Amino acid sequence: AINTDANAQAMEQEGALQSIINRTPIGRIGEVEDVANLALFLASKESSFMTGTSFVIDGGLTCAVN
């Protein structure tokens, strides 16, 4: 989950935020800046040799879920 206005109401439900944090290996919820930093990298020359890939910005949650 990324901390945005779009999911603020869901995060306010009792225990929802802590549940996500507990399951996320990095130990925190994602911030808008986490996504923005990837967008900036992809728009920079540093990513000029990258093609055809997917990026998952989830603090390791995908790897932790079995």
Side-chain angles (χ1 to χ4, degrees), residues 41-53 55:
F41 169 71
L42 293 173
S44 74
K45 287 186 176 187
E46 282 77 14
S47 69
S48 66
F49 199 64
M50 300 177 78
T51 61
T53 191
F55 294 93

Side-chain angles (χ1 to χ4, degrees), residues 22-45:
N22 290 344
R23 292 188 330 248
T24 305
I26 205 166
R28 67 176 176 84
I29 191 170
E31 297 295 336
V32 172
E33 291 81 6
D34 296 316
V35 178
N37 287 335
L38 176 60
L40 287 171
F41 169 71
L42 293 173
S44 74
K45 287 186 176 187

Side-chain angles (χ1 to χ4, degrees), residues 1-2 7 11 16-30 34 55-66:
I2 303 295
N7 62 15
M11 293 300 164
L17 178 59
Q18 193 59 50
S19 175
I20 292 169
I21 291 170
N22 290 344
R23 292 188 330 248
T24 305
I26 205 166
R28 67 176 176 84
I29 191 170
D34 296 316
F55 294 93
V56 179
I57 304 174
D58 69 355
L61 184 63
T62 304
C63 294
V65 176
N66 293 324

